[in-house]
Amino acid sequence: MKIGIAGAGLAGRLCAFYLSHKGYEVTVFDKASHPTDPVAAGFTAAGMLSHIAELESGDENIYNYGVRSLSLWKEIVPKLSEPVELHYKGSLMLAHRGDEGAAARLISLLQAKAPADQQPTKLSLEQLREQEPSISGPAHAWALQNEGHIHTRQAMYALYTSCQHTHWHWQTHVKKLTPHTIHTETETHSFDWVIDTRGLGARELKFANAHTLSCQNVRGVRGEVIWLQSPNLNLQRPIRLLHPRYRVYLVPRKPDILFIGASEIESEDRSPISVRTTVELLTAAHSVLPELAEARIIHTETNLRPALIDNFPRIEQEEGLIRINGLFRHGWLIAPAVVEDALKLFN
Ligand SMILES: Cc1cc2nc3c(=O)[nH]c(=O)nc-3n(C[C@H](O)[C@H](O)[C@H](O)COP(=O)(O)OP(=O)(O)OC[C@H]3O[C@@H](n4cnc5c(N)ncnc54)[C@H](O)[C@@H]3O)c2cc1C
């Protein structure tokens, strides 16, 4: 069976990985110039696998997809042909004195939504110091025991190199997509099934909204991130700073990189990071990790999350065509399970 995939972002690569391992002949088209050209949102993402923290804005579906995907990543990563950092050391939520109101509201929301065995655990400052000696400053801390994080750039590359029987067409803009057919600028390709994982590239389409029965286009939500290099910092797990105005998270990457993210702005502007976001992210990071004063800013990046109006993902299917879109800020958290559901008919 021949499968054509439009879009080699996270969803497209996972589809190619699953299907090629089942022995299908897979062809992938992407407008990016090469496999590591960071056009797709997946390259920019922090890779937080935060099924509990995301209950703040997510619903039961996001949570359940997240829990299933945590197990799926544990199966996928060992099968990849390149090493990928995947950690399940939990994550921490921190709040400064004075920000108790915002923190208390969020923690009680998570307590109400999370099952009994996934509840946030309050840590004393001593317990916090034992877990993460470099953190200093916050007055309150909670542990989210079962959360994880994945090295997104390593995983994007490893998914690409680990697909068997797969033909990759880079620098190839998909102009039109119909059941069984992908039209590029110069050619028309026929397949038994076509999968549309173009994210924002599918903006001409209307996706059904199950709640309002209306239809909606995909939109981009701007996210800006900063990479710091700090050789002496020994952070073991991701941390989130609960702040009344904005959320900031910090994710360690080996050997000495700290990833700080991310803004969430209703805009499709992909221009470089703003001064405002830079100041907010760095101030927040420095307020819990004073050692960062001597860290070096080595990289900044901006990208767009593909989102539908309710910020929930969609799988749509008709004979010869599957569409997966709307992964928004949850792609790494939920994509393995979303893709598994979308591809059920190939089982
Ligand atoms: C700053 C930031 C931080 C994030 N942090 C996290 C996180 O910590 N945890 C988490 O779970 N998620 C996170 N995400 C979200 C996650 O990255 C996305 O949900 C996910 O990457 C979306 O994947 P996708 O494959 O659906 O879409 P995309 O990544 O947008 O991929 C679409 C692909 O289609 C290609 N394409 C588009 N149009 C065409 C066309 N016409 N022809 C050919 N190719 C085309 C594009 O080049 C691209 O490669 C973050 C995102 C951002 C931006």
Side-chain angles (χ1 to χ4, degrees):
M1 178 130 64
K2 286 168 68 184
I3 317 283
I5 300 175
L10 173 60
R13 287 176 201 222
L14 276 169
C15 287
F17 177 78
Y18 280 149
L19 293 171
S20 68
H21 280 257
K22 285 188 187 294
Y24 296 109
E25 188 183 335
V26 178
T27 307
V28 188
F29 303 86
D30 200 289
K31 63 183 184 179
S33 54
H34 54 80
T36 53
D37 179 6
V39 177
F43 285 103
T44 311
M48 303 263 284
L49 306 177
S50 313
H51 57 294
I52 307 169
E54 289 300 325
L55 276 170
E56 181 187 9
S57 56
D59 67 352
E60 207 181 310
N61 284 335
I62 300 287
Y63 177 83
N64 291 333
Y65 272 137
V67 172
R68 266 175 64 202
S69 296
L70 288 179
S71 312
L72 288 168
W73 280 124
K74 284 184 194 161
E75 290 171 24
I76 294 168
V77 165
K79 291 185 190 150
L80 299 176
S81 54
E82 305 280 330
V84 174
E85 271 182 59
L86 172 67
H87 299 286
Y88 291 95
K89 296 176 183 166
S91 70
L92 297 173
M93 285 188 154
L94 308 176
H96 286 297
R97 203 171 303 289
D99 294 342
E100 283 91 354
R105 192 199 68 82
L106 175 58
I107 295 296
S108 44
L109 187 70
L110 298 186
Q111 283 167 340
K113 285 180 151 186
D117 60 342
Q118 306 280 325
Q119 292 283 313
T121 319
K122 177 91 174 125
L123 299 182
S124 68
L125 290 183
E126 242 167 46
Q127 288 170 318
L128 174 64
R129 247 189 310 278
E130 267 165 36
Q131 288 200 16
E132 296 290 355
S134 41
I135 295 179
S136 155
H140 307 281
W142 294 264
L144 303 183
Q145 306 286 2
N146 299 308
E147 295 199 336
H149 67 287
I150 186 165
H151 194 308
T152 56
R153 291 208 167 201
Q154 284 178 351
M156 288 293 276
Y157 184 63
L159 283 168
Y160 158 71
T161 56
S162 307
C163 293
Q164 303 155 354
H165 322 290
T166 301
H167 313 284
W168 300 88
H169 295 259
W170 302 106
Q171 271 181 303
T172 307
H173 184 88
V174 172
K175 218 173 70 185
K176 196 173 151 208
L177 200 142
T178 49
H180 304 290
T181 313
I182 289 180
H183 305 264
T184 66
E185 301 285 357
T186 50
E187 289 169 320
T188 297
H189 300 260
S190 296
F191 300 96
D192 296 297
W193 279 85
V194 162
I195 305 178
D196 183 2
T197 52
R198 286 173 296 159
L200 278 176
R203 67 172 70 249
E204 81 279 6
L205 300 172
K206 297 272 185 206
F207 285 83
N209 181 335
H211 303 294
T212 63
L213 299 179
S214 62
C215 286
Q216 57 201 245
N217 294 97
V218 64
R219 74 184 197 286
V221 180
R222 175 178 163 97
E224 301 149 285
V225 301
I226 301 174
W227 297 16
L228 300 184
Q229 187 166 37
S230 180
N232 300 324
L233 190 75
N234 188 22
L235 194 69
Q236 294 299 312
R237 44 185 72 66
I239 55 183
R240 272 172 205 262
L241 184 61
L242 306 181
H243 187 277
R245 284 187 301 284
Y246 46 83
R247 300 270 183 267
V248 177
Y249 52 76
L250 296 90
V251 181
R253 282 186 181 171
K254 281 184 185 148
D256 55 5
I257 304 297
L258 187 67
F259 186 107
I260 310 179
S263 58
E264 195 172 305
I265 301 168
E266 287 295 336
S267 160
E268 298 198 347
D269 172 6
R270 281 189 73 136
S271 65
I273 189 167
S274 69
V275 170
R276 181 193 173 123
T277 300
T278 309
V279 170
E280 285 179 356
L281 294 184
L282 292 180
T283 307
H286 180 247
S287 74
V288 290
L289 293 168
E291 270 179 55
L292 290 181
E294 280 307 314
R296 298 294 184 258
I297 300 169
I298 56 166
H299 182 67
T300 63
E301 203 168 302
T302 304
N303 214 321
L304 302 179
R305 306 167 179 93
L308 294 167
I309 198 158
D310 54 9
N311 293 335
F312 292 131
R314 282 305 179 282
I315 300 169
E316 291 191 349
Q317 227 177 69
E318 60 184 292
E319 165 56 26
L321 173 63
I322 298 171
R323 298 185 195 281
I324 304 170
N325 215 319
L327 295 180
F328 182 43
R329 55 185 260 175
H330 305 121
W332 288 93
L333 173 64
I334 65 173
V338 172
V339 167
E340 190 180 63
D341 281 0
L343 302 184
K344 269 195 178 132
L345 86 159
F346 296 103
N347 284 338

